[in-house]
Amino acid sequence: MARNRRLILSPPSTVWDLLADGHRYHEWVTGTQRILGADAHWPQVGAQLRVRVGAGPLTLDDICTVRICEPHRRLELEARAEPFGAARIAMQLVPWGENTLFLLEWHPLRGPGTRMHGLPVDYVASVRNGMMLTKLARIAVREHRGALPRP
């Protein structure tokens, strides 16, 4: 399992707003080229987000399904990219003063990733997820600052 954490210098409500907008995942999820569609009831349990992932001409269509949703606190997705199987992506937002401690876990559920699970795969996932959290933090901070009243 790959685990990452990041202190985001904005409140959980700002971070949650980004998670709750399926059409914005391409802005911060590393490897996402574009959003193909998001269910209108995203991020409610059962809602799906269809994305194209990859690098350059090597692409793959992925479906993320919401498995657990506790608004402003927790979002768990099952990301499925055939023929590579599926993974659990668990995101938790912990209030930390006026900021957010964002906890992210990635764990393969089905497919080749379960057999290759271990140090090399977890390391690559951890690096990717670290880049993703850096992007998410930048966007959340920018949006939080933009929402603050001007003196």
Side-chain angles (χ1 to χ4, degrees):
M1 175 185 318
R3 290 186 176 140
N4 294 74
R5 63 200 149 284
R6 172 79 186 231
L7 182 64
I8 299 177
L9 303 177
S10 59
S13 61
T14 301
V15 178
W16 181 260
D17 288 347
L18 291 166
L19 298 180
D21 187 347
H23 294 284
R24 296 195 64 190
Y25 274 56
H26 72 283
E27 295 178 35
W28 59 274
V29 176
T30 303
T32 300
Q33 291 187 343
R34 68 182 189 149
I35 305 301
L36 301 173
D39 288 349
H41 59 284
W42 181 270
Q44 295 175 19
V45 172
Q48 292 188 329
L49 180 66
R50 291 161 297 288
V51 299
R52 180 152 297 144
V53 297
L58 302 174
T59 63
L60 185 61
D61 291 349
D62 187 3
I63 296 174
C64 294
T65 304
V66 177
R67 296 298 182 208
I68 298 173
C69 178
E70 297 173 11
H72 301 274
R73 294 184 49 226
R74 180 175 165 205
L75 183 63
E76 292 198 19
L77 310 175
E78 181 177 332
R80 187 180 45 171
E82 299 303 335
F84 298 104
R88 171 185 167 261
I89 302 162
M91 296 170 272
Q92 184 177 0
L93 287 70
V94 178
W96 198 262
E98 296 179 6
N99 303 310
T100 306
L101 181 59
F102 193 101
L103 307 172
L104 175 69
E105 291 181 357
W106 175 92
H107 185 82
L109 295 171
R110 294 185 301 279
T114 58
R115 290 185 296 280
M116 298 183 304
H117 189 52
L119 185 59
V121 172
D122 288 351
Y123 177 76
V124 170
S126 183
V127 169
R128 174 190 178 265
N129 293 343
M131 295 184 329
M132 184 171 73
L133 291 183
T134 297
K135 288 190 232 178
L136 179 67
R138 286 183 184 147
I139 295 167
V141 167
R142 183 180 68 230
E143 293 193 3
H144 177 63
R145 287 184 182 152
L148 292 175
R150 302 283 177 195

